[in-house]
Amino acid sequence: MDPVTIIGAGLAGSEAAWQLAVRGVPVRLVEMRPAQRGPAHHTDMFAELVCSNSFKSTDAYSATGLLKEELDALGSLLLDIARRSAVPAGSALAVDRALFSSTVTQTVSAHPLIDVVIEEATTLPDGDVIVAAGPLASEPLTRALTQLTGSQHLAFFDAAAPIVDADTIDHDVVFPASRWEKGQGADYLNCPMDRERYESFIAELVGAERVTLRDFERRDLFQACQPAEEVARTGLDALRYGALKPVGLTDPRTGERPWAVVQLRAENRERTAYNLVGFQTNLTFGAQDRVFRMIPGLEDATFLRYGVMHRNTFIDAPRLLAPDLSLRDHPRIRIAGQLSGTEGYLEAIATGLLAALGVHAAREGLAPLQLPPTTALGSLVAYATDPGTTGYQPMHVNFGLVPPLAERVRGKRARYEAYSQRARADMATYLCTRSDLFTAGARSRLRPPATPPAGEKRYGRSTG
Ligand SMILES: Cc1cc2nc3c(=O)[nH]c(=O)nc-3n(C[C@H](O)[C@H](O)[C@H](O)COP(=O)(O)OP(=O)(O)OC[C@H]3O[C@@H](n4cnc5c(N)ncnc54)[C@H](O)[C@@H]3O)c2cc1C
């Protein structure tokens, strides 16, 4: 049997290699470290965690908790090793990073069907390939990918604005309208500000704590669009003449044009999530939580994703990727991990696993794996590979991506419980239909929810 070439032994590549090998498929795992090192990695080990040591919440009623259950059910090796390397971290799964990476390295390298090749991949080989070279993929490889997909489909910088849960926006304060009444009204929600609110918001925005960029990111930031706080720093009215301009908008409650308007744009067709237009930002997550809640209508908003600006190579997944993570125009090449346009350690593991199962299914002539869109992972893949998704920025799992419930459930906690229960049921049903890919044991690993932890908890936010 021809080996599958996997480029990159990071989180996605290591998981993918293992999943193929345990199904009897030989793998050629190409990793450039230590021969060649990227700007963020510091060790020679596989699956190095380049920043935080946290795999986020284990709460059964959070999207990341649910994703962990799904990965357990799908038989993830790396999540299992993460659990065995855990250090105390409250309701988060955090690991001893050296133990985690060394265990992954030993386990993957020791498999007789995995041939580890230490060299930099500079071209895309023939045959089945999984490209999992991460957000800092080396330059020759990104050139090869650009040639294959077109330069307009590869981005090198992630400048994402925060996204809020639609159900947590105060609809008594915001009003639906498009500028000059163009387009569908509810595509935009408008947060009206009077002069006083605007000026106190700007004062907090320019003074808030920012993330310190790494040296290799400064040049990219300079070339990307400006963060909102930098625009605000150029003058009190700079945002009012830019992203927050009120022209073409009338507040139906006052019949007047507000002093400034923060626009929220629908993030998906179901309008379950909205992004803050023009608010790409470098503020810390804590500062975003505090400052963006000063925006009228967002006082109690749940942030499904915070804004980020950092170096990040990723493809325009909605245009390029099929739901099995293969390139639509080159079906034997699959993209996994951060490069596929998903964000986060767990998501990288998950897409590595899916890409491997995709190769296996294709080689065996089985139906492609397509997880229900109600599940954490299925909803992420559905969103990322939906050609209707425009202006794509990398995404992590969150409940803003799942379809609305059949009946409206009041209260965030109750709603998230309902999403989780529905996902579990749909996943179990789906796995029953895929005995060709999964054993019955997989289904039994979908655990019932643990007792929710006591005390206040915000969902969808990073604990990393
Ligand atoms: C600076 C930084 C900080 C981050 N912090 C966090 C965080 O705290 N929490 C979080 O959840 N996510 C974080 N992320 C996102 C994080 O990168 C991903 O979540 C995760 O590491 C991606 O996994 P991956 O397998 O796609 O890539 P990686 O884990 O980066 O693995 C890619 C592998 O490919 C290798 N490689 C690259 N090019 C080649 C080539 N041409 N030939 C052969 N091998 C190659 C690399 O050496 C590497 O081993 C961060 C990203 C960056 C850049």
Side-chain angles (χ1 to χ4, degrees), residues 96-131:
D96 174 326
R97 64 176 77 235
L99 179 61
F100 171 74
S101 297
S102 61
T103 311
V104 173
T105 310
Q106 283 159 19
T107 312
V108 170
S109 314
H111 198 289
L113 285 179
I114 300 176
D115 177 22
V116 176
V117 180
I118 301 297
E119 70 180 25
E120 181 184 13
T122 55
T123 55
L124 293 163
D126 291 334
D128 289 317
V129 181
I130 297 176
V131 188

Side-chain angles (χ1 to χ4, degrees), residues 8 10-12 31-33 41 51-52 121 132-135 138 141 337-338 344-345 348:
L11 292 163
E31 168 55 52
M32 68 178 186
R33 288 176 293 126
H41 290 89
C51 189
S52 153
S138 79
L141 184 67
Q338 191 96 351
Y345 295 156

Side-chain angles (χ1 to χ4, degrees), residues 7-13 30-33 36 40-41 48 50-52 54 56 119-122 132-138 141 214 216-217 310-311 336-339 343-346 348:
I7 302 176
L11 292 163
V30 183
E31 168 55 52
M32 68 178 186
R33 288 176 293 126
Q36 179 87 19
H41 290 89
E48 179 181 331
V50 289
C51 189
S52 153
S54 170
K56 299 186 183 164
E119 70 180 25
E120 181 184 13
T122 55
L136 306 169
S138 79
L141 184 67
R214 300 177 185 217
F216 68 87
E217 292 180 309
H310 58 197
R311 167 84 186 275
Q338 191 96 351
L339 197 55
E343 167 91 25
Y345 295 156
L346 267 183

Side-chain angles (χ1 to χ4, degrees), residues 142-156 314-316 320:
T142 50
R143 258 200 311 276
L145 265 175
T146 306
Q147 273 168 11
L148 194 72
T149 61
S151 57
Q152 74 278 23
H153 292 310
L154 203 65
F156 298 96
F314 62 98
I315 60 161
D316 185 3
L320 297 180

